[in-house]
Amino acid sequence: MNEKIELSGIKKADLSVIVKWRNNHDILKFNTQYFLLNMEHQKKWFDEINQKESKSKMFVFKYKNKIVGVGGLIHIDNKNKNADIAIILGESKLHGKGLGTKALQLLVDYGFKKMGLHRIGAEIFEYNEISLKLFEKLNFKKEVEMRDYLWRDGKWWKVLTYSIINLKN
């Protein structure tokens, strides 16, 4: 798939589709915030990410002029030049077509080139095999394995910490 995916600022009009994605069971099971959202939650989040001192830089992913996902850099620590990354490709019919890879690469490039970050981290649940493959494909390295960290579906799961380092700064 050679079509272009691009980052765009989140607008209030995007919030309803983001709530729909986040509340989708197939997406929710991979999120650390394991509760259903409503528009009040989403508007509060929108206000928080748009504050000047926000520790998050969030975007929507656009493909063919339609938003297909949301993601960004969170827990930004400017002093130590690091952040974590979060990504949701909300349109499931587009999964497996390379858009997640392109979207993740855009976020990494933004963090390293625009923000001057040195390290970008990610926490991935051990059962999220698609994300594990995606992050490894983009050269994220496994750092930490937290045993019995997450309780889902009547079972304990590991949470794996991955990171990528900007060797150019």
Side-chain angles (χ1 to χ4, degrees):
M1 177 176 280
N2 288 331
E3 285 89 354
K4 188 174 181 184
I5 189 166
E6 40 189 45
L7 297 177
S8 182
I10 298 174
K11 299 179 178 74
K12 276 197 176 182
D14 301 329
L15 297 181
S16 60
V17 72
I18 294 171
V19 167
K20 182 183 100 182
W21 292 334
R22 278 286 329 274
N23 289 339
N24 177 323
H25 175 72
D26 292 332
I27 293 172
L28 181 63
K29 66 185 177 186
F30 298 118
N31 285 322
T32 52
Q33 293 176 314
Y34 196 63
F35 58 88
L36 296 177
L37 295 177
N38 59 34
M39 280 305 290
E40 186 178 323
H41 292 120
Q42 207 62 42
K43 286 178 184 173
K44 183 179 176 192
W45 171 79
F46 180 79
D47 290 342
E48 287 172 4
I49 65 169
N50 282 297
Q51 291 178 6
K52 186 176 182 177
E53 63 278 353
S54 176
K55 297 291 183 194
S56 298
K57 183 70 176 162
M58 299 298 294
F59 304 93
V60 290
F61 305 118
K62 287 192 170 183
Y63 173 67
K64 295 184 177 179
N65 292 321
K66 180 179 184 242
I67 67 167
V68 297
V70 61
L73 296 154
I74 59 174
H75 311 130
I76 298 168
D77 178 348
N78 288 315
K79 180 181 178 194
N80 293 302
K81 296 186 176 216
N82 66 63
D84 292 326
I85 204 162
I87 182 171
I88 295 172
L89 188 58
E91 294 298 325
S92 58
K93 65 182 177 271
L94 296 175
H95 290 183
K97 299 186 183 302
L99 291 179
T101 303
K102 290 179 181 183
L104 183 58
Q105 187 64 61
L106 284 173
L107 290 175
V108 169
D109 289 347
Y110 186 90
F112 287 161
K113 295 175 183 173
K114 300 270 191 209
M115 295 178 66
L117 296 175
H118 176 69
R119 179 189 179 278
I120 297 174
E123 288 188 350
I124 306 168
F125 306 159
E126 74 173 300
Y127 59 81
N128 190 347
E129 294 175 15
I130 292 170
S131 287
L132 291 171
K133 288 177 185 171
L134 171 63
F135 280 81
E136 288 172 358
K137 180 180 180 180
L138 289 180
N139 296 315
F140 278 73
K141 303 296 180 211
K142 185 166 106 173
E143 295 182 328
V144 176
E145 184 176 289
M146 296 177 283
R147 299 174 296 137
D148 290 357
Y149 193 83
L150 181 73
W151 179 260
R152 293 280 163 87
D153 298 324
K155 179 178 173 179
W156 287 106
W157 297 92
K158 295 174 191 168
V159 173
L160 309 171
T161 301
Y162 278 73
S163 73
I164 189 168
I165 304 296
N166 183 1
L167 299 174
K168 296 179 182 170
N169 75 358

